[in-house]
Amino acid sequence: MKLLPTVGRKATQKVVVADHDGVVTCFGMKKGEAVPVFKSLPGQKISRLELGGALGTPQEKIFVSSGSEVRGYTKKGKQFLTFEANLTESINAMHVSGADLFVCASYIYNHYCDCKDQDYYLSGDKINDVLCLPVETVGHIVPILACQDRVLRVLQGSDLQYHVEVPGPPTVLELLNRDGGKGGEEVLYGTADGKLGLVQITKSGPITSWELDNEKKKGGVLCIDTFDIVGDGVKDILVGRDDGTVEVYGLDSSNEPTLRFENVLSESVTSIQGGCVGKEMYDEVLTTTYTGWVSGLTTEPQQMVAGPGDEIKMSRETQGKVAALRYYTSELEQLQVKVLQGREKYQQSSQSSTAVSAVPVFSINDKFTLCQDDASYSLTLEVQTAIDNLLLQSDVPIDLLDVDKNSAVVSFSECDSESNGNFLLATYRCQANTTRLELKVRSIEGQYGTLQAYVTPRLQPKTCQVRQYQIKPLSLHQRTHAIDQDPMNTLRLTGQFSFAEIHSWIVFCLPEVPEKTPAGDSITFHFQNTFLGTQLEATYCKGEANFKSDNISTISILKDVLSKEATKRKINLNISYEVNEDSVSHTLRMIHPKLEYQLILAKKVQLIDALKELQVHEGNADFLIPEYRSILDESAQLLEEYKKQPAHLERLYGMITDLFIDKFKFKGQNVKTKVSQLLAILNNYELDSLMEFFSEA
């Protein structure tokens, strides 16, 4: 969705929307009603919509991409361009600047000038968005690619000039103030994990102006715009997120962003624009959502203040709104009657032996992403119609965590994990008109398989779609730009395997690795465990792979899984490893603060009921020592936190037990008989005694 620039005296702007049915719609608003300007014929799903035009003139030409084709429309709806980019994949990102067209498929970037091929670049990871610095300000073409591997790639022609490391996978790019700021070099970016940032793209290199963390754990950023909605002469930053949050950030005197307004919609925000659409003199924040709603948040006052004895008269405009509301209410009632009649007719015809029932088609917008803050996976499912129920099934042990935004009723079924490998069967029954569902799961590293979601919407006849999500062996690892050289254990594999084969094994083991085999002869990836903070470095090429990690368990999992994968393909592997004894105590020290915190939390929760009983018996809690009084005061928060982290303590015990077994497994010793002694030490936990047990065993 974009807003066309105003022309002449007309102060309100026209809205252009492109949808999944391939339709481009342009409309304006008059007296609170949408007045259509033009509507194109349906076709292939439209992936991007951008505005363009000759440099220095109003950007009022409409460009849309569908498949590998780019079409251009005038503001009146006349099609003036059809350009086939001849890409093997669909275009997922596009930018228009004067006569220059920049399009990207999954990994490929193409630059065309007057529809003639100019530059080409093959990215190392998926491209999520593309942008070009304003040519009229900078003086030359500077394309920027937002790539899934937490990098912004700045190009010069067909070559990489330099890359900018950002704190999360960037999903969207936008020029600050729509023109790149004073020098035309300032670019805003939003990430999949909800972070915002501003970076200056200079000739010599990047300068990071600011980064804004996602402290309140809101959704990922899907769209950004800049517009002076407050009216103070400084353009504000408008942000739309995938959990329906709409935010307005203002820049303070030191150019740091501060949140000014926030509104939450029930669906993910697919685009956001600032402008004047509904009424002259009153600016709006316009949004589109996944199911196709276009809504506006206006600056027009919605309430009038009247004192005692004041006579209140309805303005003509308000009277018109009331009349329109009555009309739409009656129309809605008529439509509801028609729907009921249609359902009854369907039920009657479905009983007939000759009737043919067609399965209704519906699309699901789903995301399965690792959250760094709490080392859990967030599964978001969004459907264009209301969800009736969701069935979750997993063949690996996983924990379901509580999500505040989730109002669905969950019920668990007993699973027979031994006979059929079914570890989880949970059903979510959704409330009426729920189109979006967010769940959180936490996996155990070393146990891998598939999580399946069966989505049933409120449609007739009943139909269901299945989505599958891979739980990988090292599922809690996340890509990072660099690692510290802590005490490292190493694993080396050699054998008759190709670069593509070893890469496919790494994709199977670790998240956030591009499926496409990297260009070149070798590649290095760095990872960090989001739960413990331990690190992993993977370097591999044809016939050889080297892994370094400060956690023995990570090396053990890689060794087991890669050996299995090689055996499946009948490839003989030569495996060598070096274990660093210091790495074990280093990992235990990293686990220590988490374990200590969970033990204290568990003890506090155990005391709450007894302390409440004492408080009731004595009439007050003044006689208790300050420590116990604070437990009573914070009891609600403590219980909530304990409830949010089921089996957290058992998870940490399991990690320490695995570390103990893996340490001696590499020495060729089986210490499973000593696990009971280890658990006894953990029940009376002290770091020194635990480290002593590890060294003496």
Side-chain angles (χ1 to χ4, degrees), residues 292-581:
W293 287 100
V294 180
S295 54
L297 303 169
T298 182
T299 54
E300 182 185 1
Q302 298 298 298
Q303 293 177 334
M304 293 178 73
V305 179
D310 288 355
E311 189 179 342
I312 301 170
K313 287 185 178 179
M314 267 195 199
S315 65
R316 282 186 181 179
E317 190 180 345
T318 309
Q319 287 173 3
K321 284 180 180 176
V322 170
L325 185 64
R326 284 177 184 150
Y327 169 73
Y328 287 131
T329 306
S330 65
E331 194 174 8
L332 185 64
E333 287 170 357
Q334 288 170 14
L335 284 170
Q336 285 173 335
V337 170
K338 281 185 181 178
V339 168
L340 285 170
Q341 288 171 349
R343 278 188 182 153
E344 285 172 13
K345 190 178 177 183
Y346 169 76
Q347 291 293 345
Q348 288 168 3
S349 62
S350 63
Q351 305 299 322
S352 166
S353 57
T354 56
V356 178
S357 183
V359 176
V361 178
F362 64 95
S363 60
I364 299 174
N365 181 25
D366 59 340
K367 262 176 67 178
F368 190 61
T369 49
L370 178 61
C371 305
Q372 188 177 356
D373 301 321
D374 55 1
S376 67
Y377 274 90
S378 171
L379 173 59
T380 308
L381 296 154
E382 196 166 14
V383 184
Q384 290 168 334
T385 185
I387 302 170
D388 185 32
N389 64 72
L390 168 75
L391 177 72
L392 271 190
Q393 184 269 333
S394 173
D395 57 6
V396 283
I398 56 171
D399 294 333
L400 279 179
L401 309 181
D402 275 351
V403 179
D404 295 335
K405 299 170 193 171
N406 191 345
S407 59
V409 179
V410 62
S411 55
F412 295 91
S413 304
E414 282 188 27
C415 298
D416 187 3
S417 54
E418 288 181 12
S419 63
N420 56 19
N422 195 10
F423 284 90
L424 173 77
L425 205 58
T427 309
Y428 286 84
R429 292 191 304 282
C430 301
Q431 293 184 3
N433 301 323
T434 301
T435 58
R436 188 177 185 278
L437 203 57
E438 190 176 331
L439 319 169
K440 277 205 168 188
V441 298
R442 186 176 285 143
S443 56
I444 300 168
E445 288 211 324
Q447 305 204 35
Y448 53 98
T450 308
L451 173 68
Q452 296 191 106
Y454 296 79
V455 185
T456 308
R458 292 181 190 271
L459 289 174
Q460 292 295 337
K462 280 287 179 198
T463 183
C464 174
Q465 270 193 39
V466 186
R467 286 283 193 271
Q468 292 189 333
Y469 309 97
Q470 296 306 314
I471 307 287
K472 304 200 174 189
L474 293 173
S475 55
L476 300 182
H477 277 69
Q478 182 182 68
R479 282 276 293 277
T480 185
H481 297 300
I483 61 170
D484 305 320
Q485 290 304 315
D486 292 318
M488 290 289 187
N489 307 287
T490 59
L491 172 69
R492 185 169 181 265
L493 307 176
T494 56
Q496 295 296 314
F497 51 78
S498 67
F499 189 28
E501 279 175 322
I502 183 66
H503 180 72
S504 69
W505 299 345
I506 301 300
V507 169
F508 179 77
C509 286
L510 286 147
E512 298 190 9
V513 180
E515 290 182 12
K516 189 175 180 294
T517 306
D521 298 327
S522 68
I523 190 77
T524 300
F525 291 118
H526 297 110
F527 299 90
Q528 186 172 29
N529 185 311
T530 52
F531 192 75
L532 292 180
T534 54
Q535 299 171 325
L536 169 67
E537 180 184 280
T539 304
Y540 54 93
C541 60
K542 181 185 176 183
E544 185 181 343
N546 292 287
F547 303 94
K548 290 181 185 177
S549 177
D550 51 353
N551 187 347
I552 287 182
S553 294
T554 302
I555 293 290
S556 174
I557 291 165
L558 276 170
K559 175 178 167 288
D560 293 345
V561 175
L562 294 175
S563 301
K564 274 185 186 176
E565 288 301 303
T567 307
K568 278 182 194 173
R569 303 193 187 194
K570 297 179 181 176
I571 294 172
N572 188 27
L573 283 185
N574 299 313
I575 302 172
S576 59
Y577 48 82
E578 284 180 31
V579 174
N580 188 328
E581 291 288 336

Side-chain angles (χ1 to χ4, degrees), residues 57 60 110 141 204 211 266 313 332 338 359 466 645 675:
T57 65
E60 56 186 21
N110 277 89
I141 290 170
S204 53
E211 284 176 1
S266 59
K313 287 185 178 179
L332 185 64
K338 281 185 181 178
V359 176
V466 186
Q645 300 182 333
V675 168

Side-chain angles (χ1 to χ4, degrees), residues 594-595 598-599 602 642 645-654:
K594 294 183 190 302
L595 183 57
Q598 287 299 322
L599 285 165
Y642 192 70
Q645 300 182 333
H648 208 91
L649 206 53
E650 288 84 347
R651 176 72 53 92
L652 289 164
Y653 282 1

